[in-house]
Amino acid sequence: MYKILRKKFLTPAICLMDVLAPRVAQSAQPGQFLIVRAGEKNERIPLTICDYNREEGSVTIVTQLVGASTRIICSYEAGESFADVVGPLGQPSEFIHLSPEALRNSRYLFIAGGLGTAPVYPQVKYLHQAGAKVDVIIGARNKDLVILEEEMRAVCDHLYICTDDGSYGEKGLVTDIMGRLLDSGEKYDQAVAIGPMIMMKFVTLKGRQYGIPLIVSLNTLMVDGTGMCGACRVTIAGKTRFACVDGPEFNAYDVDFEEAMRRQGMYRDIEKEKDHQCHIGLHQ
Amino acid sequence: MANKIPRVPVREQDPAVRARNFEEVCYGYNEQEAVLEASRCLNCKKPRCVEACPVSIQIPAFISKVAAGDIKEAARIISQDSSLPAVCGRVCPQETQCEGSCILGVKGEPVAIGKLERFVADWSRQNGVRFADKAPANGIKVAVVGSGPAGLACASDLARWGYDVTVFEVLHKAGGVLQYGIPEFRLPKQEVVEYEVENVRRLGVKIETDVVVGRTVTVDDLFDKEGFKAVFIGSGAGLPKFMGIPGENLNGVFSANEFLTRNNLMHGYDPTYDTPVFSGRRSVIVGGGNVAMDAARTALRLGSQVTVVYRRTEKELPARVEEVHHAKEEGIEFRLLTNPVEILGDEKGWVRGIRCIRMELGEPDESGRRSPVPVPGSEFEIETDTVIMSLGTSPNPMIARSTPGLETNRRGCLIADEDGATTRPMVFAGGDAVTGAATVILAMGAGRRAAAAIHKALQSEK
């Protein structure tokens, strides 16, 4: 059992939790994720690692209420325990292999969409601590979905925020800011985009126009998260890869986004039905 | 003239009824039937059945106790060699092992050794009989990676000899393929698998779930930071193969591992559990092994009309004869000498059919098997909305990649000698991780041999 040490709602629909999982905390690296199973009858859900504290033995997860399972996870209170927390899973971000000197001389641009801000955070923090220059764009549908602004500001050089409806930051899309920065002559050695599949697809189209190196982190369906089932398979440069072991980060220009988005929706009808039942339960 | 009695038939659930539920197909013997069947055993002086059992259970010894009605003593005899008798009695391919070598099988039907083993194990469970004799603790720590049959067998032996054993399991439940792969209707989870895993725990074995060796901890960490003196790797062969044909990533195409994991480990078939399992109106299973039969019979129970597509003939089907027989009884259609060439999708990216080509058997290849060759121009389509790929599995490369000095062969299998010694000192391996996908009992045999080798290596170190 994995005890929840602290819990707070970052927004009405997004919840942050520090969970006691010493082995995971000990090994976690930026770019990796974990799998949570709330209770005996619940699903295994992949969640990104937002932070880790090796001394305390805790990992920080950020969950957005999008369906029945995330609703259950967010309903747990501090002091309660999840049945399972497995990880760290996936390959760490490539930059953890770079030398201190190479890191000091590099400049990164991160593009975070909504909940994608959570997995971007440990990457930015790692690079910032290594002396790299890092700019971050956070985009969200509206003000209520902008998270970790203060935390991010503390570890990056420039932070740009935009919302679709203009309720916070500037009105517009992450690709607008991205284009403006690159048009104004800003140079980056590497861009990284993490967010909804559709946002990563449009960032990739934009990045291609500018020829900027770009990495995306694919949030596919997963079951075990250890490479034994292939539920998370994606086509990368024409080859089938398992996002859970070969990724989740890939070169953006190699990703078949159309297929990835289609596969992500495979259980949509079943999920809707479950969520519907769940709502009924809540109102009883 | 004990051998004049015909083999006692075993009671089974009616095919028409069982095709719609997940309850166990085979009911097993009752005590009267078991005693009668046991009386057929000739109690050979040189029992060929024991030689043919990968863990060398003292078969005539336990059967003679069953014949005498001393079931408890029969159970004790089995427990010396097997920690999972209720599992093995159910899933071993006895026809090619113990029963395949039974002398009675030459002229008639072999003794139903598997069903007798199962009876003894089930009786022990129902009567609360357990055996946990062990040597005094020696304080030496041994790590076992993987809680499948190989790991559990290795851990049981080492625990009996006094070692401090910790098993690291990647999933949230122990048992490996017994949990996620073999369906409830062949191997009940709560009643059989979890009970036998609990018996292993009672020997003092610690089982830590949710640990991904290669990510959560490395083999180096186990030695350097956690003080383990030897490591046994029984991580299995869980990496699914795909065909590489067009359309394989369409919605509605699954690996058998995903389909079975959702159903068995995650209880997808039970509406009180959250994990969805997609079952179409029609399902095509590609492959002919036991996993293919399990996937086919699971899809059927979820309400699908099921066709198994296999590229060779019935004679070459790698699945157990009993499983193929059960599948046919339940109404599963077999399209033999047939191989998929493309999976067809609709405009929304969902499977709508599968294009296959007819095959014929050509000349025998170097392995002596006649390899199937496509018949030109014989393509045809089967309409379906689900395709389950069951083409076999290979070892997951995660552990080998994260362990310096641990070598694998061309097929990704860990290189190990007869005793399980790998290319790295004090690291042993066995089961599917070494052989590629094989059987539960072969994995247990490998786990036991490695346990003996680890014991020897650690004792000579002193």
Side-chain angles (χ1 to χ4, degrees), chain A residues 227-281:
Chain A
M228 63 172 265
C229 85
C232 65
R233 63 193 190 275
V234 284
T235 301
I236 305 295
K239 290 213 164 80
T240 294
R241 298 270 182 241
F242 290 4
C244 73
V245 289
D246 300 320
E249 297 189 346
F250 294 101
N251 179 350
Y253 306 119
D254 291 341
V255 176
D256 182 342
F257 279 106
E258 297 308 314
E259 180 189 279
M261 285 190 281
R262 167 169 55 70
R263 289 184 57 79
Q264 204 177 32
M266 206 183 311
Y267 291 92
R268 199 153 284 154
D269 291 344
I270 302 179
E271 281 163 12
K272 270 191 194 141
E273 200 180 305
K274 284 252 181 206
D275 198 29
H276 182 65
Q277 289 169 351
C278 180
H279 274 294
I280 294 170

Side-chain angles (χ1 to χ4, degrees), chain B residues 191-205:
Chain B
E191 199 182 314
V192 173
V193 180
E194 286 177 23
Y195 180 85
E196 295 207 330
V197 169
E198 192 51 38
N199 278 350
V200 174
R201 280 206 184 89
R202 288 168 80 102
L203 290 167
V205 172

Side-chain angles (χ1 to χ4, degrees), chain A residues 4 34 40 48 65 90 92 100 105 108 120 177 247 282:
Chain A
I4 298 159
L34 44 75
E40 201 44 45
T48 46
L65 275 159
N105 293 321
Y108 278 77
V120 160
I177 300 179
L282 282 178

Side-chain angles (χ1 to χ4, degrees), chain A residues 5-6 20-22 25-27 51-59 125:
Chain A
L5 300 176
R6 286 172 288 277
L20 196 61
Q26 199 54 44
S27 310
D51 207 350
Y52 40 86
N53 182 330
R54 303 209 206 281
E55 287 72 41
E56 186 182 61
S58 65
V59 288
K125 184 174 159 188

Side-chain angles (χ1 to χ4, degrees), chain A residues 2 23-24 26-27 32 37 40-44 69 72 83-92 221-224 226-235 240 242 244-246 259 262-267 270-271 274, chain B residues 168 170-173 180 208-212 215-217 221-222 225-226 228 238-240 242 248-255 257-259 261-262 265-266 270-278 348-350 396 398 401:
Chain A
Y2 300 82
R23 283 194 186 277
V24 184
Q26 199 54 44
S27 310
Q32 293 185 299
R37 196 174 66 117
E40 201 44 45
K41 295 196 167 183
N42 301 126
E43 286 182 274
R44 295 168 66 96
S69 290
I72 292 164
D84 301 280
V85 174
V86 193
L89 298 166
Q91 302 285 348
L221 295 180
M222 285 188 192
V223 183
D224 62 291
T226 64
M228 63 172 265
C229 85
C232 65
R233 63 193 190 275
V234 284
T235 301
T240 294
F242 290 4
C244 73
V245 289
D246 300 320
E259 180 189 279
R262 167 169 55 70
R263 289 184 57 79
Q264 204 177 32
M266 206 183 311
Y267 291 92
I270 302 179
E271 281 163 12
K274 284 252 181 206
Chain B
F168 295 98
V170 62
L171 293 173
H172 55 264
K173 277 195 179 149
Y180 74 77
E208 225 188 290
T209 52
D210 298 336
V211 177
V212 192
R215 295 256 198 268
T216 316
V217 288
D221 290 339
L222 295 177
K225 295 185 185 162
E226 304 204 17
F228 289 97
L239 190 71
F242 287 93
E248 235 171 351
N249 290 347
L250 286 166
N251 289 7
V253 184
F254 305 94
S255 71
N257 262 13
E258 177 184 352
F259 184 69
T261 299
R262 282 179 180 275
L265 178 73
M266 305 310 297
D270 177 346
T272 68
Y273 283 74
D274 284 351
T275 303
V277 54
F278 183 82
K348 285 182 174 166
W350 282 82
N396 193 318
M398 204 147 52
R401 277 188 199 155

Side-chain angles (χ1 to χ4, degrees), chain A residues 133-163:
Chain A
K133 293 262 175 284
V134 189
D135 290 353
V136 179
I137 305 170
I138 295 178
R141 265 206 321 277
N142 58 52
K143 188 182 180 202
D144 276 350
L145 299 171
V146 176
I147 55 166
L148 300 171
E149 181 186 346
E150 290 317 307
E151 290 83 350
M152 195 70 85
R153 205 177 288 284
V155 292
C156 73
D157 293 273
H158 300 96
L159 179 65
Y160 307 91
I161 297 178
C162 61
T163 48

